[in-house]
Amino acid sequence: MSVAVDVAVERGRLGMPQGLAESAARAVLRAEGVQDAALSIAFVSSRTIAALNRKHLGHRGATDVISFGFRPAAGAPLTGDIYIAADVARGAARERKITLREELVRLVVHGTLHVLGYDHPDDESRVASPMWRQQERLVARVLRSARR
């Protein structure tokens, strides 16, 4: 059993070390007791994520994160793809008055939780959902570890 996390950046600078993205995903998997997984995390342009959003979810425009989790047969590793739009994250970070690094970590954690099967309501009540609470605990843990 093993955990593999691959991080790729489509273009430009990310706003945090790629290793931090990998560490954040691994922290989620560890916290959830996952010992056998393969995740890819791609930081993509707003244009790319908008195309993915339209093609796979039927929504128009760019979003911050899209996740695809694949639950194979029993005994097979968890597999998932996470796409994050750093430009969208940059705008959200400015709006929320937090660092881009924190917002990107949050999106990695959020996407990984979705791959694991977590979900949340689409309205304002999502911040009270079990997924959101777990997300925020894990974001705080990852950021604390990164400061050490």
Side-chain angles (χ1 to χ4, degrees), residues 30-48:
R30 193 170 34 258
E32 294 295 318
V34 176
Q35 297 176 350
D36 202 10
L39 284 182
S40 71
I41 303 168
F43 290 89
V44 299
S45 68
S46 295
R47 175 181 244 174
T48 298

Side-chain angles (χ1 to χ4, degrees), residues 38-142:
L39 284 182
S40 71
I41 303 168
F43 290 89
V44 299
S45 68
S46 295
R47 175 181 244 174
T48 298
I49 209 157
L52 290 167
N53 203 16
R54 183 177 56 256
K55 180 178 181 178
H56 297 287
L57 301 176
H59 301 160
R60 293 177 56 104
T63 188
D64 52 4
V65 61
I66 296 176
S67 300
F68 301 100
F70 308 99
R71 291 243 176 231
L78 171 75
T79 305
D81 297 325
I82 302 166
Y83 298 90
I84 298 171
D87 291 341
V88 176
R90 191 171 283 108
R94 258 193 311 271
E95 196 174 288
R96 296 176 65 209
K97 296 179 175 45
I98 60 172
T99 66
L100 175 58
R101 177 186 204 143
E102 179 179 341
E103 185 64 9
L104 291 172
V105 166
R106 181 169 285 104
L107 294 175
V108 170
V109 169
H110 189 90
T112 306
L113 288 171
H114 273 308
V115 167
L116 289 166
Y118 277 82
D119 207 359
H120 56 77
D122 287 332
D123 60 18
E124 307 80 42
S125 68
R126 76 186 196 158
V127 298
S129 70
M131 177 184 175
W132 199 272
R133 289 192 307 271
Q134 177 68 338
Q135 168 190 294
E136 293 306 301
R137 278 191 296 271
L138 290 165
V139 167
R141 184 183 302 166
V142 169

